Amino acid sequence: MKTTGAPEILRRHPLGIVRRGVVLAVLVLLASGALPLAAVEVRTVAESQRREGPDFITEGSYLAAKGTEDDQTALAARIVQSLSTMEGIRYFSHRRNREMVLYSRCCTVDGPETRRRIPDFYDTAPGNSRHYLLEDSSFGECLYRAEYRETGSQVEMTAVNVSALKYGIFTGVSPEKMTLHLTVRDLGSDFLVHALIRAEIRWIPFAGDAVGDSISARLKALVAWFTEAYNESFKNGHL
């Protein structure tokens, strides 16, 4: 998508995907309560106004219904810090035109060198971090470093790829060049789940937008995983 002239509103898919531009989302202001839900818009800015930053940004904001209006920030924090439960989740691959397992392996590991699997753990300390190892259906084995924050009724996770994301024999994203932000805010009767991925995608011959499309599919799967994990926890009384 080329962006010229005045910023325009993206009214298509909730995941606004922009190549070689910058997405300015007033969604992030929701975290501070500065905007009501009805004010959510996603805008694009011409590339000439972009001084630095990634060439690929995709994001989405979703309301996930809760089973109670009680504050469940602690439950949300536990789910977000239990990424091993993403192991085996499925998604629809548009490239292969069928449903597939997204992560055949997903676990917390003891560090980037040894990469030994350890149990997920819950830590409320500000800025606590850990490493995850994922076996991705498109990108192969990937190591991520994640940090967590819990403030008031909001939980945040920021994850960065420690290893490269491979697309076949090619590198689609170099180490430390993709960042994923996940924010879950308890609104009372709903969770507001906002996910954002920024990446510097390397050009791959004949691949087109396949790498970006794959990254976007993972963002949507992440939101679906949180929603399903919460519903399962609530149903089983794990509050």
Side-chain angles (χ1 to χ4, degrees):
M1 179 186 297
K2 294 182 179 179
T3 58
T4 57
E8 61 178 298
I9 305 298
L10 292 180
R11 298 189 183 279
R12 52 190 190 94
H13 197 277
L15 301 180
I17 303 170
V18 179
R19 292 281 298 179
R20 306 194 187 285
V22 174
V23 176
L24 298 179
V26 296
L27 295 172
V28 297
L29 296 179
L30 288 166
S32 64
L35 289 175
L37 288 177
V40 171
E41 295 176 343
V42 179
R43 299 180 180 271
T44 66
V45 177
E47 185 179 5
S48 61
Q49 299 179 27
R50 179 170 63 88
R51 298 295 182 183
E52 59 183 357
D55 66 353
F56 178 90
I57 301 177
T58 179
E59 66 180 332
S61 191
Y62 306 82
L63 282 178
K66 292 169 51 183
T68 175
E69 292 195 1
D70 295 337
D71 180 17
Q72 295 191 8
T73 305
L75 175 59
R78 289 182 180 277
I79 293 172
V80 171
Q81 296 188 48
S82 300
L83 290 192
S84 70
T85 58
M86 290 199 301
E87 188 169 291
I89 65 171
R90 304 182 69 83
Y91 80 115
F92 185 83
S93 171
H94 291 284
R95 183 166 63 91
R96 299 181 178 92
N97 196 34
R98 60 186 174 91
E99 189 178 77
M100 298 181 58
V101 172
L102 180 58
Y103 300 122
S104 58
R105 180 171 51 144
C106 185
C107 60
T108 308
V109 294
D110 59 358
E113 290 80 23
T114 53
R115 302 189 180 189
R116 288 188 294 262
R117 183 169 190 152
I118 62 173
D120 291 328
F121 59 92
Y122 175 59
D123 188 351
T124 60
N128 62 85
S129 64
R130 68 208 65 177
H131 288 85
Y132 295 99
L133 192 65
L134 282 68
E135 188 69 38
D136 189 292
S137 63
S138 294
F139 301 123
E141 184 179 288
C142 305
L143 182 69
Y144 292 86
R145 180 181 65 254
E147 293 187 357
Y148 296 89
R149 291 169 295 278
E150 183 178 342
T151 56
S153 59
Q154 182 167 294
V155 178
E156 300 174 46
M157 177 187 75
T158 301
V160 178
N161 66 310
V162 176
S163 58
L165 274 62
K166 293 287 188 176
Y167 198 77
I169 63 173
F170 299 99
T171 295
V173 181
S174 298
E176 308 286 337
K177 296 300 183 182
M178 186 176 78
T179 304
L180 183 150
H181 299 280
L182 178 67
T183 302
V184 180
R185 185 180 181 195
D186 193 330
L187 300 180
S189 58
D190 304 281
F191 284 120
L192 174 65
V193 185
H194 178 237
L196 167 70
I197 296 178
R198 297 170 173 263
E200 294 183 16
I201 297 177
R202 298 181 61 177
W203 180 78
I204 296 177
F206 311 110
D209 292 329
V211 175
D213 291 343
S214 294
I215 291 174
S216 297
R218 278 138 190 77
L219 181 146
K220 194 171 184 179
L222 181 66
V223 175
W225 158 77
F226 172 82
T227 303
E228 293 171 6
Y230 168 76
N231 290 337
E232 186 70 19
S233 295
F234 183 80
K235 182 178 67 175
N236 294 329
H238 299 159
L239 302 179

